[in-house]
Amino acid sequence: MNAQQPYPMPVQAVLDELRPLLGDRLSTSLAEREQHGHGESYHRSQLPDAVCYVQSTEEVSCIVKTCAKYGVPIVPFGGGTSLEGHVCAVHGGICIDLSRMQRILAIRPGDLDVTVEAGVTRQQLNTELRTSGLFFPIDPGGESTLGGMAATRASGTNAVRYGTMRENVLSLTVVLADGSVIKTANRARKSSAGYDLTRLFVGSEGTLGIITEVTLRLYGIPETISAAVCTFPDVASAVNSVVSIIQYGIPVARVELLDARTVMAVNRYSKMTLDEQPTLFFEFHGSPAGVAEQIEQTQAIVEENAAVGFVAAADADARNALWKARHSVHYAMQSMRPNGRIWSTDVCVPISQLTPCIIETEKDLAQASFFIAMVGHVGDGNFHLGLVVDPDSKAELAEAEALNNRLVRRAIALDGTATGEHGVGSGKIKFMELEHGAGAVNTMRLIKQALDPQNLLNPGKILPGDKASEVGLSLLAGEALD
């Protein structure tokens, strides 16, 4: 168990009741608990007391009912790719690993939708869809599960054209805190019937219920896909180009910013030969004539903004290599300091405020004592910093925290958000009232209390006021809770 425990914790009683159901799919081994006590970020691992590998909604329901009976906390776990401490077991308890729920339940080409279990990954789904001429466009990177993507309201490089999980989830099957199972909606593309429960659970990070099935929108694979790379003398010129492209209504599918440090890291890690200058990656979808027009319009705009080069790449292999390198940016940044950990942040601002926000942020980067790189889904105003810190250095962690605080406050002051896609987890709880106001946060608390009165579902996440989640920064430097 974790050292500080405000909950009654008869974990042994829970384990005794669950072993006949799960057998060897119930583990208390230290190695498996450690694997499930963290995501891929700087947050210190906080271990659950046991891990349950589930295979059905019915098993999840049974586990939740048992935990509710004994007052034991529950932490859902998908691919383990989260970046804000979502899966850290702040109060110990039972981790429910949904990664083995990998059935694709129904593909409906005529309706352009699909229903999958929560453990299916976006890569698995798109492999299955390939022969149908359809695809699912949301791609946050990593081997993310679709249940986890719904729980964190994920997006990614295609969001500028296809939206986020919020726009692409039609319905969910959810296990509530008492173990009951609900379906949030039918498959109609619109409805005015009652509260929008689907949107309530999308982005709730496992704090209101555990998502076990997801029904998603699908799209036809574009007739033509083309990519382009464009370099600039400075980041401001690149961002100004993107703002103009979006304001002109050019329907780019992807537009990604990499600053010079990111390009350097990508070249080393992915064996690329890109010019180490601020760079935009583009992708265009549509008919041959439509894509040609998008490229022509985009090239004209970037050249007006001092673009150094604009190289189109219609070849599929070259295009795939480009996006594979982009999706490996997290690991490329980390490779610049092998013993470091990435403190990743992801603010989002209105598109008109993107240039001033990034220009001010660059001033902070120039003064940092450790490697920092910038990358962004700038077509929707979202950008990330990868702060590569020594997790054992209190000085570096304090510097990173101060830089992150300035960035988030800057974004919120520009009518933006503390997190465009990573979610709140435990890492960004302290910004919730600043962004939403006390009244809105109190309304969220009322919803949480109504759906999870014992506060057993992923406690210590999203909402301020949980003392165990407020010690997060001391945990970063390896200090134990007293």
Side-chain angles (χ1 to χ4, degrees):
M1 298 181 190
N2 289 339
Q4 180 176 343
Q5 186 47 257
Y7 290 83
M9 284 293 291
V11 174
Q12 190 60 51
V14 172
L15 300 183
D16 290 342
E17 289 201 19
L18 293 180
R19 275 205 172 90
L21 172 71
L22 299 172
D24 61 6
R25 290 186 287 116
L26 171 58
S27 175
T28 55
S29 79
L30 179 60
E32 290 182 79
R33 291 167 54 221
E34 287 180 340
Q35 177 189 349
H36 289 79
H38 61 86
E40 292 195 355
S41 67
Y42 62 91
H43 296 84
R44 179 176 180 251
S45 182
Q46 293 174 274
L47 277 56
D49 296 293
V51 180
C52 296
Y53 297 92
V54 294
Q55 295 178 339
S56 68
T57 297
E58 291 73 24
E59 287 186 349
V60 175
S61 174
C62 182
I63 293 167
V64 172
K65 286 177 181 177
T66 305
C67 288
K69 175 181 174 181
Y70 292 101
V72 173
I74 304 156
V75 181
F77 189 98
T81 58
S82 62
L83 294 170
E84 288 294 352
H86 299 82
V87 297
C88 296
V90 173
H91 295 297
I94 302 299
C95 172
I96 298 181
D97 185 319
L98 297 109
S99 64
R100 297 185 185 183
M101 293 183 62
Q102 295 189 341
R103 291 187 300 160
I104 296 175
L105 300 172
I107 300 172
R108 310 175 192 89
D111 291 325
L112 295 176
D113 68 41
V114 63
T115 300
V116 302
E117 289 185 326
V120 175
T121 68
R122 64 181 184 86
Q123 293 97 326
Q124 289 170 334
L125 176 58
N126 280 325
T127 297
E128 184 71 20
L129 291 172
R130 192 170 295 158
T131 58
S132 70
L134 302 173
F135 82 118
F136 181 68
I138 310 306
D139 63 335
E143 192 72 8
S144 305
T145 63
L146 291 162
M149 288 168 60
T152 55
R153 202 185 297 132
S155 53
T157 60
N158 277 318
V160 63
R161 177 156 180 165
Y162 297 98
T164 71
M165 290 297 284
R166 180 182 64 188
E167 290 79 34
N168 287 285
V169 175
L170 294 173
S171 179
L172 299 167
T173 298
V174 180
V175 177
L176 300 181
D178 63 357
S180 59
V181 180
I182 66 168
K183 182 181 175 183
T184 61
N186 289 328
R187 293 188 296 113
R189 288 303 176 106
K190 63 180 182 179
S191 171
S192 297
Y195 301 124
D196 191 344
L197 295 180
T198 304
R199 300 296 172 272
L200 178 63
F201 287 101
V202 171
S204 63
E205 301 181 14
T207 63
L208 302 180
I210 300 175
I211 296 168
T212 60
E213 294 179 11
V214 189
T215 298
L216 301 161
R217 294 176 184 266
L218 300 177
Y219 297 81
I221 295 173
E223 182 182 3
T224 299
I225 301 175
S226 186
V229 178
C230 186
T231 56
F232 294 83
D234 52 66
V235 168
S237 298
V239 176
N240 285 334
S241 294
V242 175
V243 172
S244 295
I245 289 165
I246 300 304
Q247 290 175 341
Y248 273 103
I250 301 171
V252 291
R254 290 168 160 171
V255 52
E256 296 290 299
L257 169 70
L258 291 73
D259 73 356
R261 294 184 187 89
T262 306
V263 177
M264 177 175 64
V266 164
N267 279 344
R268 294 184 183 184
Y269 183 81
S270 297
K271 305 297 187 289
M272 304 288 282
T273 56
L274 300 168
D275 291 338
E276 293 181 0
Q277 302 181 69
T279 299
L280 293 177
F281 289 178
F282 292 99
E283 190 165 278
F284 308 95
H285 294 178
S287 66
V291 166
E293 182 180 20
Q294 293 172 42
I295 292 173
E296 181 181 358
Q297 292 172 328
T298 298
Q299 184 170 359
I301 289 173
V302 299
E303 288 175 352
E304 289 176 1
N305 285 279
V308 177
F310 184 90
V311 180
D315 177 78
D317 290 340
R319 189 173 69 248
N320 290 338
L322 197 68
W323 293 112
K324 182 179 180 181
R326 168 60 186 87
H327 283 312
S328 298
V329 156
H330 179 88
Y331 306 105
M333 291 178 182
Q334 189 157 303
S335 71
M336 299 298 289
R337 191 176 186 183
N339 294 323
R341 293 296 298 273
I342 299 254
W343 183 318
S344 181
T345 191
D346 71 315
V347 297
C348 187
V349 296
I351 192 72
S352 64
Q353 301 300 318
L354 186 59
T355 301
C357 188
I358 286 182
I359 288 174
E360 286 301 308
T361 301
E362 280 198 295
K363 296 176 184 177
D364 279 344
L365 306 193
Q367 300 173 15
S369 66
F370 42 77
F371 182 84
I372 304 178
M374 179 189 298
V375 64
H377 316 309
V378 285
D380 53 16
N382 180 202
F383 69 94
H384 308 259
L385 299 182
L387 292 71
V388 190
V389 297
D390 176 354
D392 297 319
S393 168
K394 292 183 179 180
E396 287 194 15
L397 291 169
E399 181 183 348
E401 182 195 3
L403 192 153
N404 185 56
N405 285 348
R406 288 195 298 275
L407 173 62
V408 171
R409 291 177 183 277
R410 181 179 303 128
I412 292 173
L414 293 170
D415 212 15
T417 177
T419 172
E421 59 185 12
H422 291 173
V424 177
S426 56
K428 287 188 172 174
I429 286 179
K430 64 181 178 180
F431 301 114
M432 286 291 283
E433 287 198 4
L434 178 65
E435 178 170 337
H436 296 286
V441 171
N442 284 335
T443 301
M444 295 180 198
R445 286 197 183 99
L446 291 173
I447 295 170
K448 170 71 169 173
Q449 184 177 7
L451 292 178
D452 182 18
Q454 294 187 79
N455 192 26
L456 299 181
L457 293 176
N458 212 6
K461 314 297 165 56
I462 295 185
L463 295 174
D466 187 321
K467 295 301 180 185
S469 66
E470 292 173 1
V471 299
L473 289 174
S474 67
L475 289 172
L476 299 182
E479 297 176 7
L481 289 171
D482 296 323

